[in-house]
């Protein structure tokens, strides 16, 4: 990820990648994910490959990224939808689907695709039945809506919104690219906005917060000026770095947070990251690509 992003930035400082490594290695989200045996660390590798593939126009990296991200379908499907807007990305999408089907053949062959699909849909529908998957213990939109309005959005609505948002973001970027060749900085800003959208809209847990790490690049990409993007990003990561400790220390918890104290704080931080990532994306100007940068030439 560092190698991919380095030439797209306007500064040569290394602090964003030091912050990235610190957040990943020392954040409570990583410790929880590893102790529970969750797939979030693997998803982080998928995000790095997706960023690499989209910026470098690498079909192989994109296909590998989708194979990993689809392992968590509610998280990976928005990325598939985002790429599907570009016909040039179809080889990566179809290759990833083929590899995933082959990998799933041990389940598909004995029971059949229809039975497996029905079981998956049923499982998704019953996702909220387990207390650990109730809105108070989840992050993002479902948590905020539940705490604010007392409504349970379930599993289908948030994932559907994430897919629609990903498609809209892709069409907007594609329109800009059609009018005047967009810079790789704009492509990177679009990927970061996509990550922020998926993290906020998809029901996740606090151990998935390590997936926000790529968004630590936002202050660096905005030249580290003390603007809304920089301040909002850093405040968000300070909250998420040790969100459970922060929640217990300050008492900012909800009685309904049966699991993962600080889910509401994390949701507020994810909302802040979404807003600053969209602000950054909308303020990036189209250009002629990173080859216009004298340092790169």
């Amino acid at each position: 990820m560092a190698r991919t992003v380095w030439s797209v930035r306007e500064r040569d400082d290394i602090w964003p990648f030091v912050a990235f490594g610190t957040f990943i290695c020392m954040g409570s989200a990583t410790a929880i994910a590893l102790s529970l045996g969750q797939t979030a660390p693997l998803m982080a590798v998928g995000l790095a490959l997706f960023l690499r593939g989209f910026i470098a126009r690498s079909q192989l990296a994109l296909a590998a990224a989708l194979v990993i991200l689809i392992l968590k379908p509610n998280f990976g499907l928005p990325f598939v939808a985002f790429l599907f807007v570009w016909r040039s990305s179809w080889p990566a999408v179809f290759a990833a689907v083929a590899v995933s089907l082959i990998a799933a053949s041990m389940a598909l062959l004995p029971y059949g695709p229809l039975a497996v699909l029905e079981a998956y849909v049923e499982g998704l529908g019953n996702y909220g039945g387990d207390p650990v998957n109730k809105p108070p213990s989840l992050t993002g939109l479902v948590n905020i809506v539940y705490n604010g309005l007392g409504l349970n959005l379930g599993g289908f609505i948030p994932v559907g919104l994430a897919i629609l948002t990903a498609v809209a973001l892709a069409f907007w970027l594609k329109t800009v690219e059609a009018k005047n060749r967009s810079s790789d900085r704009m492509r990177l800003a679009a990927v970061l906005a996509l990550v922020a959208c998926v993290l906020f809209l998809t029901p996740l847990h606090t151990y998935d917060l390590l997936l926000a790490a790529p968004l630590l690049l936002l202050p660096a990409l905005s030249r580290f000026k003390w603007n809304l993007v920089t301040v909002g990003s850093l405040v968000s990561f300070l909250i998420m770095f040790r969100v459970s400790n922060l929640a217990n220390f300050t008492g900012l918890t909800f009685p309904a947070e049966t699991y993962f104290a600080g889910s509401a704080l994390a949701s507020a931080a994810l909302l802040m990251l979404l807003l600053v990532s969209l602000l950054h994306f909308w303020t990036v100007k189209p250009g002629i690509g990173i080859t216009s940068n004298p340092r790169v030439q």
Side-chain angles (χ1 to χ4, degrees):
M1 184 177 291
R3 182 181 178 185
T4 302
V5 173
W6 192 271
S7 59
V8 182
R9 302 180 310 129
E10 296 185 0
R11 293 170 61 95
D12 284 329
D13 50 8
I14 198 172
W15 75 263
F17 306 107
V18 174
F20 184 101
T22 302
F23 182 79
I24 286 288
C25 295
M26 300 182 64
S28 57
T30 304
I32 297 172
L34 292 175
S35 65
L36 295 177
Q38 295 294 334
T39 59
L42 185 59
M43 296 296 107
V45 176
L47 287 182
L49 284 169
F50 189 91
L51 187 148
R52 169 65 182 173
F54 193 66
I55 302 300
R57 282 79 168 173
S58 169
Q59 298 291 323
L60 181 60
L62 285 175
L66 293 183
V67 168
I68 294 174
L69 295 175
I70 290 175
L71 291 174
K72 196 178 185 76
N74 59 335
F75 186 82
L77 287 176
F79 292 90
V80 175
F82 179 84
L83 284 184
F84 203 76
V85 172
W86 282 271
R87 186 182 293 270
S88 59
S89 298
W90 285 8
V93 173
F94 291 135
V97 171
V99 171
S100 299
L101 289 175
I102 293 172
S105 60
M106 292 182 67
L108 295 176
L109 292 177
Y111 303 104
L114 184 59
V116 173
L117 181 61
E118 289 176 349
Y120 172 74
V121 173
E122 182 181 356
L124 186 60
N126 297 330
Y127 180 80
D130 194 321
V132 74
N133 294 326
K134 296 286 187 182
S137 296
L138 296 173
T139 61
L141 179 66
V142 292
N143 184 283
I144 291 177
V145 170
Y146 181 83
N147 289 327
L149 303 175
L151 299 177
N152 187 346
L153 294 179
F156 290 103
I157 293 177
V159 174
L161 287 174
I163 292 174
L164 290 175
T165 303
V167 171
L169 191 63
F171 272 113
W172 196 93
L173 179 61
K174 188 175 182 181
T175 301
V176 173
E177 288 183 323
K179 291 181 180 179
N180 48 0
R181 182 184 169 196
S182 69
S183 66
D184 286 356
R185 281 176 57 83
M186 175 162 279
R187 279 203 152 209
L188 175 59
V191 172
L192 296 180
L194 174 63
V195 172
C197 289
V198 175
L199 284 174
F200 178 71
L201 294 174
T202 305
L204 298 170
H205 295 97
T206 54
Y207 55 71
D208 293 306
L209 292 177
L210 62 94
L211 296 173
L215 299 174
L216 269 167
L217 297 169
L218 285 170
L221 294 171
S222 59
R223 302 182 186 180
F224 199 66
K225 294 179 179 178
W226 289 108
N227 52 23
L228 289 175
V229 174
T230 300
V231 174
S233 300
L234 296 181
V235 170
S236 299
F237 279 99
L238 284 175
I239 294 173
M240 293 190 296
F241 185 66
R242 286 282 176 178
V243 67
S244 55
N245 303 65
L246 181 62
N248 291 324
F249 178 76
T250 60
L252 296 175
T253 61
F254 287 82
E257 287 181 352
T258 309
Y259 301 89
F260 309 127
S263 296
L265 282 176
S267 300
L270 288 174
L271 175 59
M272 192 183 304
L273 272 181
L274 172 62
L275 295 177
V276 298
S277 66
L278 291 176
L279 175 63
H280 175 258
F281 176 58
W282 288 331
T283 54
V284 173
K285 301 298 182 184
I288 60 174
I290 61 173
T291 52
S292 62
N293 190 330
R295 286 194 298 106
V296 178
Q297 291 179 339

